[in-house]
Amino acid sequence: MAQTKLNNGVMMPLQGYGVFQITDLEQCEQAVVEALHTGYRLLDTAATYGNEAAVGRGIQRSGVAREDIFISSKVWIQDAGYDKTMASFAKTLANLQTDYLDLYLIHMPYGDYQGSWRAMEDLYEAGKIKAIGVCNFEADRLLDLILSNRIVPAIDQMEMHPFTQQKALRHILDQYGIKLMAWAPFAEGHNNLFTQPILKAIGDQYGKTPAQVVLRWLLQSDVIAIPKSVHAERMAQNFAINDFQLTAADLIQIATLDTERPLILQIRAVSEVFRLHGITFDQ
Ligand code: NAP
């Protein structure tokens, strides 16, 4: 499977599997077993998804060795700050039945994320995490984090799909060797992505679906993707992207779909700041 090299030399699979919104824990455990048996070796979960323990059970049941799996999890905003992040990390390890993480991410750029980062730097230096990074950090906040601390993030996990291509952010990521990890690579199905005419026409040339075109586009862009599906046949479809190549003309067509703004998470919106802090927002 294709891998990418992070800015600390760690190798990370480009094709992953995400478990957001799989709230039925038996279904989550089973999905993890199926994903690993399909061939995925990168799993993405988060404390706030409430399914880390199911992911841990799925890994155990799969029979795949721990060292062959790249596990990513995240600290939630309510656990921001040095001490709370340390405690949350310990719970995450226990849930996942492991004594180290491959990747640990700050989930949201709110609360005392500087304190969280210092805890993560210490855990990284103690060998408990192979790589550390962030999610949903736009360029200004990311730069502030970099300039205030010792370790540059290895990853920025962002909303990224054909309608939100993160071209502006990539300039700063490239300067620091930070890799993009695409969440919601299918835009969670918004804008009829699975039947989108441009993606469909591109896919028809190769006998591939729009979903496979999107994942191939991310792979060719050196962007890590973590599509979610609870259906084994879709997991297999989403994994089968290594037998075709998008041309420069295909890539130009995909570029035309970009709206240059997020579709799902308006991270800067006042309503989101309230919501993420757990406060009901009345206009
Ligand atoms: P997504 O992967 O863009 O879309 C998932 C949806 O697409 C599900 O409804 C799934 O349905 C459907 N689907 C999957 N493969 C398909 C296919 N081949 N054909 C048709 N439909 C298909 O959305 P996401 O789950 O929000 O994002 C992926 C991962 O990113 C998450 O699981 C999570 O790990 C991560 N994430 C991170 C953040 C963050 O803030 N850091 C935010 C959101 C997500 P079925 O399951 O029914 O097949």
Side-chain angles (χ1 to χ4, degrees):
M1 192 197 314
Q3 306 232 343
T4 194
K5 193 185 220 176
L6 304 182
N7 58 10
N8 64 351
V10 165
M11 298 302 292
M12 177 171 180
L14 279 162
Q15 290 181 257
Y17 176 75
V19 295
F20 180 43
Q21 290 171 334
I22 313 183
T23 48
D24 175 334
L25 299 182
E26 277 178 28
Q27 184 181 44
C28 182
E29 180 181 328
Q30 181 59 26
V32 166
V33 173
E34 280 164 1
L36 290 169
H37 288 175
T38 301
Y40 292 94
R41 289 294 178 267
L42 159 61
L43 300 174
D44 183 73
T45 183
T48 194
Y49 298 171
N51 58 17
E52 286 176 323
V55 172
R57 288 192 296 275
I59 291 170
Q60 293 298 319
R61 250 183 64 203
S62 74
V64 179
R66 167 68 185 93
E67 61 270 23
D68 293 334
I69 306 172
F70 192 105
I71 308 178
S72 157
S73 195
K74 318 182 187 87
V75 58
W76 187 239
I77 179 170
Q78 273 73 21
D79 288 321
Y82 190 96
D83 292 340
K84 284 195 201 169
T85 294
M86 286 290 188
S88 185
F89 178 73
K91 271 192 228 155
T92 287
L93 286 190
N95 281 336
L96 288 163
Q97 302 183 47
T98 184
D99 56 4
Y100 72 97
L101 274 192
D102 296 279
L103 179 65
Y104 198 41
L105 303 168
I106 296 179
H107 207 147
M108 291 290 165
Y110 294 121
D112 181 13
Y113 57 81
Q114 299 278 5
S116 292
W117 191 252
R118 286 170 194 136
M120 289 161 63
E121 288 181 324
D122 287 352
L123 291 164
Y124 172 76
E125 285 172 344
K128 305 295 285 180
I129 312 172
K130 305 275 184 211
I132 54 178
V134 296
C135 305
N136 303 307
F137 274 58
E138 292 186 345
D140 52 350
R141 212 155 277 208
L142 181 66
L143 194 55
D144 181 44
L145 188 79
I146 292 168
L147 298 177
S148 319
N149 293 288
R150 301 195 300 278
I151 301 177
V152 173
I155 292 283
D156 195 0
Q157 186 181 118
M158 294 294 290
E159 176 181 346
M160 184 170 175
H161 43 71
F163 313 117
T164 303
Q165 300 192 9
Q166 300 292 359
K167 281 194 205 113
L169 178 66
R170 289 201 76 161
H171 290 298
I172 184 146
L173 298 184
D174 289 347
Q175 270 180 44
Y176 287 94
I178 301 167
K179 290 285 158 87
L180 252 176
M181 186 169 176
W183 66 253
F186 302 142
E188 297 179 352
H190 288 289
N191 287 5
N192 295 321
L193 179 138
F194 298 112
T195 52
Q196 204 288 328
I198 289 177
L199 299 173
K200 182 155 181 355
I202 294 172
D204 284 348
Q205 302 173 95
Y206 311 107
K208 294 288 176 182
T209 64
Q212 290 171 313
V213 169
V214 170
L215 295 175
R216 181 72 210 179
W217 162 68
L218 291 168
L219 186 77
Q220 286 184 214
S221 310
D222 195 32
V223 172
I224 301 133
I226 43 172
K228 171 260 174 187
S229 176
V230 293
H231 296 100
E233 69 281 5
R234 286 181 180 168
M235 285 180 205
Q237 179 194 131
N238 298 342
F239 197 66
I241 58 166
N242 289 300
D243 55 355
F244 73 114
Q245 181 87 23
L246 298 173
T247 62
D250 297 333
L251 299 177
I252 288 168
Q253 294 248 36
I254 295 171
T256 65
L257 296 173
D258 193 9
T259 64
E260 298 185 16
R261 64 178 75 92
L263 191 65
I264 299 168
L265 178 63
Q266 314 299 324
I267 193 69
R268 290 289 179 71
V270 169
S271 56
E272 285 299 334
V273 183
F274 277 115
R275 185 181 71 80
L276 292 165
H277 274 279
I279 300 166
T280 308
F281 176 67
D282 292 318
Q283 301 251 12

